[in-house]
């Protein structure tokens, strides 16, 4: 399991220009200003659970929520630099520079790797006793309260310096498991551990929501959208084990389409 959850940082810049951006300019009208969209973040923003092709060397998926939104709304430009394994520090150092003065929309999903997402899941999947898992979860929750918010705040401030007028949306994380004692999925932690991991997701989302709200970002909570579709449900939108890395414990293509995308669209308002 530890091998399956090793983070990947092999992402190359993906730039997609909408057809309108390549066409001849239309006559001047009173149309709304063009949308220029930049997506930042980790594997949840990159879409690795939606089965990108590792042979291409690009771990972003066209089924991720940024790519789905861009395909539906045809922005003047779309840039995704979200990368599997990215911490907030890596987003600040490597991704924020992609935002420019004419960027109008930025989405961010980051913080999971700051809390030790992979190692915590590995501990809870392989530990012989519950206390080892619970101790790892408590450490992740401490990082969620004291580390992840600072990283998100620095990311938002960096974006504001690059694009003062951009709309900034911070999309959070779903709970991984459907609540309840029953689960017949092989390799999934027991009920005690699943409950602790779901609680950790709630702790992280609460911390990110608070940080985003205090620095003019808008938090987008996806937990309600994924309710009824966690691992152990009849219709999971999270990839369960024994799937191979990096898809395991990430949203499926349906999770992005029916979970993240509607929440994103309900939240976005542009000048």
């Amino acid at each position: 399991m530890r091998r399956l959850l090793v983070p990947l940082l092999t992402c190359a810049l993906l730039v997609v220009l909408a057809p309108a951006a390549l066409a001849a300019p239309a006559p001047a009208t009173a149309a709304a200003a063009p949308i220029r969209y930049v997506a930042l973040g980790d594997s949840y923003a990159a879409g690795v659970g939606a089965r990108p092709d590792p042979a291409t060397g690009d771990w972003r998926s066209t089924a991720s929520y940024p790519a789905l939104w861009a395909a539906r709304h045809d922005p003047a430009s779309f840039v995704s630099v979200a990368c599997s394994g990215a911490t907030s520090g890596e987003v600040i150092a490597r991704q924020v520079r992609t935002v420019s003065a004419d960027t109008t929309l930025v989405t961010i999903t980051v913080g999971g790797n700051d809390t030790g997402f992979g190692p915590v899941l590995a501990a809870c999947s392989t530990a012989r006793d519950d206390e080892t898992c619970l101790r790892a979860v408590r450490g992740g929750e401490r990082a969620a309260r004291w580390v992840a918010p600072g990283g998100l705040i620095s990311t938002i401030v960096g974006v504001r310096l690059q694009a003062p007028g951009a709309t900034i949306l911070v999309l959070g994380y779903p709970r991984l498991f459907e609540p309840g004692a029953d689960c017949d999925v092989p390799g999934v932690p027991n009920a005690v551990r699943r409950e602790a991991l779901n609680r950790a997701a709630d702790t992280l989302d609460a911390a990110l929501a608070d940080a985003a709200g205090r620095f003019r970002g808008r938090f987008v909570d996806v937990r309600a959208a994924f309710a009824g579709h966690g691992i152990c449900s009849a219709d999971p939108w999270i990839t369960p084990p024994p799937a191979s890395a990096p898809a395991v414990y990430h949203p499926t293509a349906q999770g992005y389409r029916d979970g993240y995308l509607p929440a994103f669209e309900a939240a976005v308002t542009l000048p």
Side-chain angles (χ1 to χ4, degrees), residues 166-179:
T167 295
I168 300 176
L169 300 181
V170 178
L171 285 85
Y173 296 88
R175 300 182 183 99
L176 295 179
F177 305 99
E178 200 61 25

Side-chain angles (χ1 to χ4, degrees), residues 42-137:
D42 58 21
S43 54
Y44 270 63
V48 300
R51 312 231 182 254
D53 182 5
T56 66
D58 185 354
W59 287 93
R60 299 182 197 93
S61 172
T62 56
S64 65
Y65 74 76
L68 291 174
W69 191 93
R72 178 172 293 185
H73 294 278
D74 194 24
S77 64
F78 165 52
V79 182
S80 176
V81 287
C83 186
S84 179
T87 62
S88 58
E90 288 158 342
V91 171
I92 295 162
R94 302 179 184 184
Q95 298 184 20
V96 169
R97 68 184 72 173
T98 312
V99 177
S100 60
D102 63 354
T103 299
T104 60
L105 174 64
V106 178
T107 58
I108 305 167
T109 297
V110 73
N113 291 313
D114 294 345
T115 69
F117 174 79
V120 171
L121 277 167
C124 290
S125 299
T126 61
R128 294 185 177 181
D129 59 280
D130 289 345
E131 181 53 33
T132 299
C133 165
L134 298 179
R135 185 165 56 247
V137 169

Side-chain angles (χ1 to χ4, degrees), residues 6 12 54 57 60-61 91 95 165 182-183 191 194 206 226 247:
V6 171
R60 299 182 197 93
S61 172
V91 171
Q95 298 184 20
D182 296 331
C183 186
R194 296 196 305 271
F226 277 82

Side-chain angles (χ1 to χ4, degrees), residues 144-188:
R145 294 187 182 100
W146 303 110
V147 178
L152 177 60
I153 289 167
S154 295
T155 301
I156 293 173
V157 169
V159 169
R160 288 281 176 223
L161 291 173
Q162 300 283 92
T167 295
I168 300 176
L169 300 181
V170 178
L171 285 85
Y173 296 88
R175 300 182 183 99
L176 295 179
F177 305 99
E178 200 61 25
D182 296 331
C183 186
D184 59 0
V185 179
V188 167

